[in-house]
């Protein structure tokens, strides 16, 4: 008799361009608070911006010494549709600051009336400032986005996506960095991240600056 028990282990894989509509669904579900919708509206303009972003992330690989983006997913075991996403930036040591800026990583909003460039900049810039303060020009793995559709939370999908990055960082012998919401902070602490004090440069943080040390030499 064939078993009907489904595997519970989350399978992390790279997203493809054909997954973009579902990636937008995950983003809107995971980051659908009123505050986030004021910055990243769930409108046709908001969808267009995310389409551009994901196409950029899934585009041709950069040169060997350039910042690299990995767009990862976990699919529903029932439907095969992406229900959790992570966006990682693999930052080589000594990377040019301009290439690390949010304006280089994310699409412009100048032609999208529903967006405010000032609001988007106000969201990214403080985190960018804290990020640079903590890491300087050291090479690292940067977990920029992590989100799971609410109905699929508490199944280990987020943990699997976090572990993908920490495993990569251990292979590369570099640190990991991320900006954590209060809700996400316990997950990151359980995976070796610790909050960093950036009060000297940021008066009021919307997210906690968190660092995971690089693996020690064996």
């Amino acid at each position: 008799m064939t078993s009907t028990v489904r595997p519970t282990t989350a399978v992390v894989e790279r997203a493809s361009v054909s997954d973009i509509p579902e990636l937008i669904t995950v983003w809107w579900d995971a980051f659908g608070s009123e505050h986030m919708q004021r910055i990243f509206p769930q409108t046709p303009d908001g969808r267009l911006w995310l389409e551009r972003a994901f196409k950029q992330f899934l585009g041709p690989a950069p040169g060997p010494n350039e910042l690299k983006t990995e767009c990862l997913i976990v699919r529903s075991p029932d439907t095969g549709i992406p229900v959790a996403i992570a966006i990682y930036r693999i930052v080589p040591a000594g990377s040019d600051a301009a290439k690390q800026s949010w304006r280089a990583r994310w699409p412009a909003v100048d032609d999208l009336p529903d967006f405010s460039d000032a609001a988007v900049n106000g969201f990214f810039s403080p985190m960018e400032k804290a990020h640079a303060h903590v890491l300087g020009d050291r090479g690292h793995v940067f977990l920029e986005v992590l989100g799971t559709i609410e109905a699929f939370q508490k199944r280990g999908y987020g943990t699997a996506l976090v572990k993908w990055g920490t495993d990569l960082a251990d292979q590369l012998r570099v640190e990991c960095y991320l900006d954590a919401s209060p809700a996400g902070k316990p997950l990151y602490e359980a995976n070796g991240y610790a909050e960093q004090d950036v009060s000297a440069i940021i008066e009021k943080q919307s997210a906690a600056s968190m660092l995971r040390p690089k693996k020690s030499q064996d």
Side-chain angles (χ1 to χ4, degrees):
M1 183 176 178
T2 303
S3 173
T4 58
V5 177
R6 296 184 182 277
T8 57
T9 303
V11 178
V12 176
E13 61 184 87
R14 289 177 172 86
S16 67
V17 171
S18 64
D19 292 316
I20 289 177
E22 285 76 31
L23 301 185
I24 294 173
T25 297
V26 178
W27 175 290
W28 279 356
D29 186 276
F31 308 113
S33 69
E34 183 178 342
H35 170 69
M36 288 294 283
Q37 288 195 52
R38 286 198 296 268
I39 303 167
F40 305 105
Q42 295 189 9
T43 65
D45 276 358
R47 177 175 291 278
L48 179 56
W49 182 78
L50 285 170
E51 287 175 352
R52 291 172 178 175
F54 285 119
K55 285 178 181 177
Q56 180 174 313
F57 303 157
L58 296 168
N65 296 315
E66 300 289 327
L67 182 148
K68 181 182 179 183
T69 298
E70 292 280 9
C71 185
L72 305 171
I73 55 173
V74 175
R75 299 181 185 275
S76 162
D78 298 310
T79 65
I81 293 173
V83 293
I85 61 172
I87 298 169
Y88 278 98
R89 316 291 188 175
I90 294 84
V91 184
S95 293
D96 181 73
K99 292 181 179 179
Q100 292 190 57
S101 77
W102 78 264
R103 292 189 184 278
R105 300 192 312 270
W106 295 89
V109 300
D110 300 352
D111 64 333
L112 302 174
D114 289 353
F115 279 80
S116 161
D117 183 80
V120 177
N121 185 60
F123 175 80
F124 281 118
S125 287
M127 293 189 293
E128 191 168 279
K129 188 175 180 181
H131 187 164
H133 175 76
V134 171
L135 277 156
D137 64 354
R138 303 195 300 274
H140 60 283
V141 171
F142 172 29
L143 175 52
E144 185 162 22
V145 173
L146 180 71
T148 303
I149 287 180
E150 185 176 6
F152 289 86
Q153 292 176 1
K154 309 299 183 183
R155 300 191 187 188
Y157 296 174
T159 297
L161 288 164
V162 171
K163 189 175 185 300
W164 186 96
T166 56
D167 286 349
L168 175 63
D170 288 346
Q171 293 171 25
L172 298 175
R173 303 283 186 177
V174 297
E175 298 158 284
C176 297
Y177 182 86
L178 56 83
D179 301 289
S181 67
K185 192 176 176 185
L187 168 62
Y188 304 129
E189 289 175 332
N191 283 273
Y193 286 85
E195 184 172 2
Q196 306 298 296
D197 182 6
V198 296
S199 59
I201 60 164
I202 303 292
E203 291 185 7
K204 185 177 180 181
Q205 284 184 273
S206 60
S209 302
M210 303 194 74
L211 187 72
R212 179 182 180 271
K214 65 181 177 181
K215 185 177 182 180
S216 59
Q217 296 290 336
D218 294 330

